[in-house]
Amino acid sequence: MNLTERDSQHLWHPYTQHKTAQLPIAIKRGEGALLWDDNNKEYIDAIASWWVNPYGHSNKFIADAIYKQLTTLEHVLFGGFTHEPAVLLGEQLIEILPGNQKKIFFSDNGSTAVEVAIKVALQYFFNKGEKRTTIIAFENAFHGDTFAAMAASGISFYTQAFEGMFIEVVRIPVPVKGTEAVSYDALRERIKTTNCAAFIYEPLVQGAAGMVMYEPEALDKLIQICQENKVLTIADEVMTGFGKTGKTFATDYQTEKPDMMCLSKALTGGTIPMAITTFTQEIFDAFYDDDINKALFHGHTFTANPTGCAAALASLALLKTDEMQANIVRVNKNHLEFQKQIETHPMVLTTRVLGVIFALEIKTKDNESYYGTMRNKLYAFFIENGIIMRPIGNIIYILPPYIITDPQLQKIYQVVEEALEIV
Ligand SMILES: *Cc1c(COP(=O)(O)O)cnc(C)c1O
């Protein structure tokens, strides 16, 4: 049996209907933006393996940092103990985060980073003796697959089996250009009619919805409305963080800053699962008390894993180099040029670019479902041509490692153009 056949004996894959899905591709090796399967077929990783890998596969610099940490202190419990990688990472993150972010809480993945933020928002008001239990989120939001994160998510594909079992969530439309006022009014109305604790959002780009983009000024306005009503704000930067939008955080485009931020995905350069939720001093202070009941009773076994922290420190060092910043600008320039060239194509409905993110919506007669026929056809076409992409319905997006070369980008663009001819 080959690897793929052995896989199907025992393994259950994410977001996969095993009865109808094609067998997975066995990847043997990765380097830079490239991956190779067990037949030595080469693929360009055009989506940075679900948006986690900015600095390239099998990155030596991060690997060395991980090895050094593994052979010094691989792990120690974080309850009652601390270690230098966690302290250093905290210090370095505070330096690059918005000025109002003062406290750092560790967990393992994007969903838990969101879970922590939502629990903190709810307990913040509990600790203050105020009854506020509703979370506000955008339509078509994606915040993860654990229960509170899933409740905040608005893509029915992921949540329909669990309707009625969630914490209270109300939704507002995303303020895409031209519809901002509808979004502001909806927010004001939800705040008036429910006991809102917090508003959670993906800043400027809704990733899983299909890289849906909106303007920083609109988000500033929504945050202002929350501030006027003492509703906490949570920026879920799990996808947007660490350079993807052209700035370190999408929040860096904002005048108004959130009370909490969720980070994961690129935090460790796509090596070790790790996540962080950050807070203002004011939020931390609502838990700081002689009364033990006011503490945050949340934790994970691998909280602040030193190896993960070492990987994150190495990743941050790479992000800060002039070379990496130049890569982000270079990828963005390539995207903008391709956008100019492709936006008038008769099959193209619309295109969007922010930072290293490029998205293209294909004209369709019917509404294409998330995992519909067009998506499957496109996915197979890209794989056939050695490109790893995961179209969302009729939306194709590119979110490559920052170190991708110009010829590799041009190859992706070329296959995208060809894909428009086959749909
Ligand atoms: C991927 C993602 C999550 C969930 O992260 P996981 O590590 O998959 O649990 C949450 N929020 C956003 C915006 C994401 O893109």
Side-chain angles (χ1 to χ4, degrees):
M1 273 194 286
N2 67 21
L3 213 51
T4 303
E5 287 156 357
R6 278 161 58 204
D7 170 288
S8 45
Q9 306 260 299
H10 304 295
L11 305 189
W12 194 340
H13 285 257
Y15 310 120
T16 300
Q17 173 48 272
H18 278 274
K19 185 162 184 191
T20 54
Q22 289 194 337
L23 291 175
I25 295 161
I27 296 294
K28 273 241 159 105
R29 197 166 70 78
E31 195 185 319
L34 298 177
L35 294 164
W36 288 271
D37 72 12
D38 53 355
N39 296 318
N40 260 333
K41 179 172 173 180
E42 185 179 286
Y43 300 87
I44 302 174
D45 187 355
I47 54 167
S49 283
W50 267 340
W51 325 336
V52 298
N53 193 316
Y55 318 116
H57 289 282
S58 313
N59 183 290
K60 280 269 180 302
F61 181 73
I62 304 175
D64 286 345
I66 290 173
Y67 180 78
K68 201 162 153 228
Q69 189 57 48
L70 274 176
T71 47
T72 310
L73 172 69
E74 83 301 343
H75 184 65
V76 63
L77 68 164
F78 209 57
F81 295 87
T82 192
H83 48 78
E84 191 171 32
V87 173
L88 267 177
L89 180 56
E91 289 168 353
Q92 293 193 13
L93 279 174
I94 292 296
E95 243 172 62
I96 59 169
L97 281 162
N100 70 342
Q101 297 299 300
K102 299 290 187 211
K103 295 286 172 182
I104 303 258
F105 190 94
F106 289 94
S107 63
D108 316 309
N109 61 73
S111 304
T112 54
V114 168
E115 209 75 20
V116 168
I118 290 176
K119 283 178 73 175
V120 163
L122 296 173
Q123 190 180 340
Y124 170 90
F125 289 107
F126 178 85
N127 282 359
K128 287 178 172 280
E130 242 184 277
K131 190 178 156 45
R132 291 202 188 207
T133 53
T134 304
I135 303 295
I136 308 168
F138 278 137
E139 285 164 7
N140 288 320
F142 183 75
H143 297 293
D145 291 338
T146 57
F147 241 83
M150 176 172 60
S153 298
I155 300 172
S156 60
F157 228 93
Y158 294 96
T159 59
Q160 61 192 4
F162 311 100
E163 283 307 327
M165 298 174 231
F166 291 134
I167 57 165
E168 298 158 56
V169 175
V170 291
R171 287 189 198 287
I172 61 170
V174 185
V176 286
K177 245 200 179 94
T179 68
E180 291 91 339
V182 183
S183 185
Y184 308 154
D185 289 346
L187 179 60
R188 288 198 190 90
E189 191 273 338
R190 304 294 183 277
I191 290 174
K192 210 157 54 195
T193 54
T194 58
N195 290 319
C196 291
F199 166 46
I200 185 167
Y201 56 86
E202 295 158 88
L204 309 192
V205 190
Q206 288 189 299
M211 303 296 157
V212 172
M213 297 181 188
Y214 61 99
E215 298 295 314
E217 294 73 24
L219 184 53
D220 277 334
K221 180 74 190 166
L222 292 172
I223 295 174
Q224 278 167 10
I225 296 169
C226 287
Q227 287 166 348
E228 285 158 16
N229 292 280
K230 305 236 165 346
V231 172
L232 298 174
T233 49
I234 304 168
D236 178 354
E237 293 237 19
V238 169
M239 190 281 281
T240 49
F242 305 105
K244 305 239 181 70
T245 63
K247 291 189 188 266
T248 305
F249 301 105
T251 297
D252 296 341
Y253 287 93
Q254 305 286 137
T255 313
E256 305 296 341
K257 304 301 181 191
D259 297 298
M260 305 179 222
M261 287 171 70
C262 305
L263 309 172
S264 186
K265 293 218 162 100
L267 172 62
T268 63
T271 58
I272 293 181
M274 171 164 267
I276 281 173
T277 315
T278 71
F279 305 95
T280 59
Q281 187 67 40
E282 210 255 323
I283 292 194
F284 181 78
D285 288 346
F287 293 71
Y288 190 78
D289 201 280
D290 290 320
D291 182 359
I292 188 162
N293 290 305
K294 292 208 167 161
L296 177 63
F297 279 98
H298 185 103
H300 297 280
T301 311
F302 279 100
T303 297
N305 170 252
T307 314
C309 291
L313 284 165
S315 300
L316 275 185
L318 288 176
L319 178 65
K320 287 176 186 164
T321 60
D322 293 342
E323 196 187 336
M324 202 57 69
Q325 292 299 318
N327 276 328
I328 295 171
V329 174
R330 178 180 56 85
V331 171
N332 175 257
K333 241 181 84 194
N334 275 284
H335 282 348
L336 289 172
E337 275 166 27
F338 179 55
Q339 179 182 38
K340 229 199 249 144
Q341 174 204 329
I342 201 77
E343 65 192 350
T344 51
H345 190 288
M347 284 302 291
V348 173
L349 183 64
T350 177
T351 56
R352 312 182 264 277
V353 175
L354 184 66
V356 304
I357 307 166
F358 171 92
L360 179 159
E361 283 189 39
I362 298 173
K363 275 186 198 155
T364 54
K365 281 194 212 79
D366 315 303
N367 254 352
E368 278 298 325
S369 117
Y370 210 83
Y371 284 107
T373 332
M374 182 186 276
R375 181 265 175 206
N376 291 341
K377 199 166 168 188
L378 287 167
Y379 178 82
F381 182 77
F382 286 121
I383 287 294
E384 200 181 298
N385 284 280
I387 313 267
I388 299 179
M389 299 252 253
R390 287 180 65 94
I392 297 171
N394 62 324
I395 300 169
I396 296 172
Y397 72 85
I398 308 167
L399 201 170
Y402 308 160
I403 50 76
I404 192 168
T405 65
D406 284 352
Q408 288 163 349
L409 271 175
Q410 294 307 325
K411 167 91 195 285
I412 298 172
Y413 299 150
Q414 182 203 324
V415 178
V416 168
E417 265 194 86
E418 287 165 16
L420 294 177
E421 308 302 328
I422 63 127
V423 291

